[in-house]
């Protein structure tokens, strides 16, 4: 009788397993198509690329000095670049992490909820437009899902280890720290994920788990993550940096939760409402199943509600990519687990229906990745054609400077720490406190604000008075969204925009000539 019952269950689940497998293939194919048609990096990605130029140990100073995020993603990318250092070779790092995230979700889902639910969860994850977009973006958002789910699962395995060994706790500590040091506000999610794992174990096993070891591991993790708290506090207090993790996404609960599914680039007007409905379904069905209930409460609702309250009284802290990377893998697992509570036939067809809708939307939703065009390489090529010996190229924005020099000069054009605009008052006060010896040891004082290549001077920052004093022609690279006009020596006439590149955001090349 047991064998007959097992075969009946298997036959009922087989259509969903087959469709989920096909849907997973479609999701991965959408990522592959976006990768094959990819045409260049964007603003945030340039930070990851430029930081590769700095050697250890100044690499860590560079990240702390020039970026708001902690170093783990930058560090693993630096080792990756030893083997794959071309533009697409670097982007393959995100593709690899996307595949690792899919494998981790499937493996954890299979151990926790069974093969069918695991296949459904990983297929839903791969078809999520924001997830697919993150897979072809050289940021930490393809890496985070693997670390988040890994942190949650390893905490449970260590708590329930019958032999009470020490090494599982070292694994917990390593993965938890890697997650915490992956994003400026990742520490916030580390706490929620560890709490969710603990509540999950307590609800199923009570006080029989290794709670003293868990508490010790969490205290150790908290101490080692304290520098992140200090960093967030310092940056909140600095001018033009009023929010932890960067600018917060405005919107409502529908656009926030829906955006975690639909992403920023989805042009369909109903994309975010549909994403909200899918996320809400994951919460409701996840709460229905006793096994997934605490994930739905502690991870799908808790972090967002708490962040909303923090935003009301302190500072906003919702950012679509990081919330999606942290929470969407759990939403997919909760949704897959919740469908198990429906009647087998109904659960199968609801699962197939959800997958079918997402299969139809994932390709159009990721089209924006294929339609957009990066401006940096074309601008650099245009400069190579037009600029002559003795010309000055002024690039006010640091990331724009790094991008243009990568293509106009060489990938390893120099050190972002050594080539910077003159320091502002905040940094000058900090260096006065540190003293000249420590300032020099940490390379906090820029060596120059220009790089000279083949007789052309490339100036970083808006102040180019000195560099342009003897030049007869100056070029300026300016992003139209954040225009920062260059300050030149007297006697130059603006000849206007020579050319511009980039879609949907444009970067311009302007020319100035000295008055005869």
């Amino acid at each position: 009788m047991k064998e007959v019952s097992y075969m009946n269950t298997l036959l009922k689940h087989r259509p969903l397993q087959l469709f989920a497998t096909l849907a997973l293939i479609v999701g991965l194919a959408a990522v592959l198509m976006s990768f094959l048609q990819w045409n260049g990096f964007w603003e945030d990605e340039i930070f990851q690329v430029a930081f590769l130029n700095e050697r250890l140990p100044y690499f860590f100073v560079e990240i702390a000095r020039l970026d708001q995020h902690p170093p783990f993603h930058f560090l693993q990318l630096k080792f990756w670049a030893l083997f794959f250092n071309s533009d697409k070779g670097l982007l393959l790092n995100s593709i690899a992490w996307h595949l690792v995230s899919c494998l981790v979700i499937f493996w954890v889902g299979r151990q926790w909820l069974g093969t069918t639910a695991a296949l459904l969860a990983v297929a839903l994850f791969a078809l999520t437009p924001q997830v697919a977009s993150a897979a072809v973006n050289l940021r930490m958002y393809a890496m985070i899902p693997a670390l988040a789910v890994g942190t949650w699962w390893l905490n449970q395995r260590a708590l329930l280890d019958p032999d009470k060994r020490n090494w599982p706790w070292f694994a917990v500590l390593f993965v938890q720290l890697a997650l915490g040091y992956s994003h400026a506000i990742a520490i916030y999610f580390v706490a929620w994920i560890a709490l969710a794992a603990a509540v999950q174990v307590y609800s199923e096993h009570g006080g029989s788990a290794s709670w003293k070891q868990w508490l010790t591991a969490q205290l150790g993790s908290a101490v080692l993550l304290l520098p992140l708290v200090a960093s967030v506090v310092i940056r909140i207090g600095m001018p033009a940096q009023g929010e932890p993790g960067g600018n917060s996404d405005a919107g409502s609960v529908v656009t926030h939760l829906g955006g975690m599914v639909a992403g920023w680039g989805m042009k369909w007007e109903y994309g975010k409402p549909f994403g909200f409905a899918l996320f809400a379904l994951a919460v409701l069905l996840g709460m229905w199943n006793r096994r997934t209930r605490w994930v739905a409460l502690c991870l799908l609702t808790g972090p967002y509600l708490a962040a909303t309250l923090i935003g009301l009284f302190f500072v906003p802290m919702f950012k679509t990519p990081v919330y999606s990377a942290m929470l969407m893998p759990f939403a997919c697992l909760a949704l897959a687990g919740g469908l198990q509570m429906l009647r087998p036939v109904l659960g199968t067809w609801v699962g197939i229906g959800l997958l079918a809708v997402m299969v139809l939307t994932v390709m159009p939703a990721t089209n924006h990745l294929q339609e957009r065009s990066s401006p940096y390489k074309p601008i650099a090529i245009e400069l190579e054609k037009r600029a002559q010996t003795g010309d000055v190229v002024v690039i006010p924005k640091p990331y724009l400077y790094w991008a243009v020099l990568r293509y106009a000069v060489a990938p390893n054009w120099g050190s972002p720490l050594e080539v910077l605009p003159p320091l502002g008052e905040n940094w000058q006060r900090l260096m006065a406190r540190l003293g000249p010896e420590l300032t020099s040891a940490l390379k906090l004082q820029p060596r120059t604000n220009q790089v000279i290549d083949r007789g052309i001077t490339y100036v970083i920052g808006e102040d180019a008075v000195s560099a342009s004093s003897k030049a007869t022609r100056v070029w300026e690279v300016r992003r139209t969204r954040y225009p920062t006009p260059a300050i030149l020596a007297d006697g130059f006439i603006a000849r206007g925009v020579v050319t511009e590149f980039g879609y949907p955001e444009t970067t311009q090349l302007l020319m100035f000539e000295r008055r005869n």
Side-chain angles (χ1 to χ4, degrees):
M1 290 295 293
K2 289 184 179 179
E3 292 181 1
V4 172
S5 176
Y6 172 77
M7 289 304 297
N8 288 338
T9 302
L10 186 63
L11 290 173
K12 289 176 183 177
H13 289 173
R14 184 59 59 84
L16 181 55
Q17 290 181 355
L18 291 175
F19 198 86
T21 303
L22 292 174
L24 173 61
I25 294 171
V26 172
L28 296 177
V31 170
L32 178 61
M33 288 180 62
S34 297
F35 174 76
L36 293 175
Q37 298 185 45
W38 177 87
N39 61 60
F41 295 118
W42 282 88
E43 174 184 339
D44 288 351
E45 297 171 285
I46 291 299
F47 286 80
Q48 323 292 105
V49 176
F51 289 175
L52 297 174
N53 284 9
E54 195 63 64
R55 66 185 186 276
L56 297 171
Y58 296 109
F59 175 77
F60 296 102
V61 179
E62 170 188 53
I63 294 167
R65 166 75 173 82
L66 300 173
D67 201 89
Q68 63 181 345
H69 294 295
F72 184 74
H73 183 264
F74 299 97
L75 182 62
Q76 63 83 34
L77 185 63
K78 189 167 183 64
F79 286 108
W80 178 275
L82 296 175
F83 307 97
F84 307 97
N85 59 7
S86 66
D87 284 7
K88 279 202 166 182
L90 293 174
L91 188 61
L92 276 174
N93 180 260
S94 292
I95 302 288
W97 274 114
H98 179 62
L99 294 176
V100 171
S101 293
C102 288
L103 289 172
V104 170
I105 292 169
F106 175 76
W107 188 83
V108 170
R110 188 179 184 188
Q111 299 292 317
W112 183 33
L113 301 169
T115 301
T116 302
L119 277 172
L120 177 58
V122 74
L124 289 168
F125 178 78
L127 290 169
T128 300
Q130 174 59 30
V131 170
S133 297
V136 282
N137 184 275
L138 194 64
R139 299 288 278 167
M140 62 287 294
Y141 306 118
M143 176 186 75
I144 284 175
L147 298 178
V149 176
T151 294
W152 178 77
W153 188 247
L154 286 172
N155 267 280
Q156 293 185 67
R157 293 305 91 203
L159 275 165
L160 298 173
D161 181 21
D163 299 324
K164 300 186 182 302
R165 295 164 295 181
N166 289 326
W167 72 261
W169 293 110
F170 287 106
V172 167
L173 196 60
F174 175 79
V175 177
Q176 203 158 286
L177 289 174
L179 178 62
Y181 278 91
S182 65
H183 191 276
I185 60 171
I187 187 174
Y188 175 74
F189 294 97
V190 168
W192 280 102
I193 291 169
L195 176 64
V199 172
Q200 184 81 29
V201 170
Y202 187 81
S203 68
E204 295 177 353
H205 302 275
S208 61
S210 304
W211 292 110
K212 289 183 179 179
Q213 291 92 327
W214 180 83
L215 184 59
T216 301
Q218 298 312 315
L219 288 174
S221 175
V223 170
L224 294 172
L225 290 171
L226 276 178
L228 296 181
V229 178
S231 174
V232 169
V233 172
I234 290 171
R235 289 187 179 278
I236 288 176
M238 291 179 68
Q241 185 68 285
E243 298 160 359
N247 298 324
S248 180
D249 292 343
S252 64
V253 63
V254 173
T255 57
H256 282 168
L257 300 184
M260 286 194 282
V261 179
W264 280 343
M266 194 173 187
K267 296 178 181 178
W268 183 39
E269 61 178 319
Y270 301 109
K272 288 184 178 179
F274 172 74
F276 171 77
L278 188 68
F279 196 90
L281 185 63
V283 173
L284 293 174
L285 288 179
M287 292 177 65
W288 191 7
N289 187 336
R290 289 184 62 186
R291 299 220 68 193
T292 57
R293 183 170 301 157
W294 292 110
V295 164
L297 286 171
C298 294
L299 292 178
L300 303 190
T301 58
Y304 181 74
L305 290 176
T308 301
L309 292 174
I310 293 171
L312 287 174
F313 296 102
F314 298 101
V315 290
M317 56 178 294
F318 181 85
K319 196 74 169 176
T320 297
V322 65
Y323 274 73
S324 178
M326 291 286 185
L327 303 185
M328 277 311 300
F330 296 105
C332 294
L333 287 165
L335 180 55
L339 288 175
Q340 292 178 330
M341 300 304 295
L342 302 177
R343 293 179 180 179
V345 175
L346 178 60
T348 295
W349 286 108
V350 170
I352 289 175
L354 290 173
L355 290 173
V357 172
M358 296 188 73
V359 163
L360 294 175
T361 59
V362 68
M363 291 292 185
T366 54
N367 277 346
H368 72 283
L369 299 173
Q370 301 164 28
E371 294 172 357
R372 72 182 192 179
S373 58
S374 171
Y376 307 127
K377 194 170 184 177
I379 283 281
I381 292 173
E382 195 68 22
L383 270 173
E384 286 185 308
K385 292 179 182 177
R386 295 175 179 269
Q388 300 174 3
T389 300
D391 286 0
V392 173
V393 179
V394 186
I395 310 174
K397 295 290 185 181
Y399 75 87
L400 198 52
Y401 185 86
W402 303 332
V404 170
L405 262 66
R406 176 175 176 84
Y407 301 111
V409 178
N412 191 20
W413 53 267
S415 163
L417 262 183
E418 295 180 351
V419 184
L420 282 174
L423 296 177
E425 293 182 2
N426 288 334
W427 280 104
Q428 289 178 6
R429 282 196 296 267
L430 176 61
M431 288 193 302
R433 292 177 183 175
L434 295 176
E437 292 184 2
L438 187 55
T439 296
S440 176
L442 294 175
K443 288 177 66 173
L444 294 180
Q445 178 66 55
R447 183 178 55 83
T448 181
N449 71 333
Q450 57 190 249
V451 169
I452 301 175
D453 179 69
R454 287 166 289 185
I456 301 170
T457 302
Y458 296 85
V459 178
I460 185 171
E462 56 192 83
D463 185 357
V465 174
S466 175
S468 61
S469 60
K470 297 182 180 180
T472 58
R473 187 167 57 176
V474 174
W475 306 89
E476 181 189 345
V477 180
R478 182 187 299 177
R479 183 179 176 183
T480 56
R481 185 178 177 186
Y482 305 116
T484 307
I487 303 172
L488 307 180
D490 293 336
F492 280 93
I493 300 173
R495 299 301 186 188
V497 177
V498 174
T499 187
E500 59 182 27
F501 297 97
Y503 176 83
E505 294 187 4
T506 304
T507 299
Q508 298 174 330
L509 179 63
L510 296 84
M511 185 174 72
F512 300 83
E513 287 185 318
R514 187 174 289 279
R515 188 182 295 110
N516 292 328

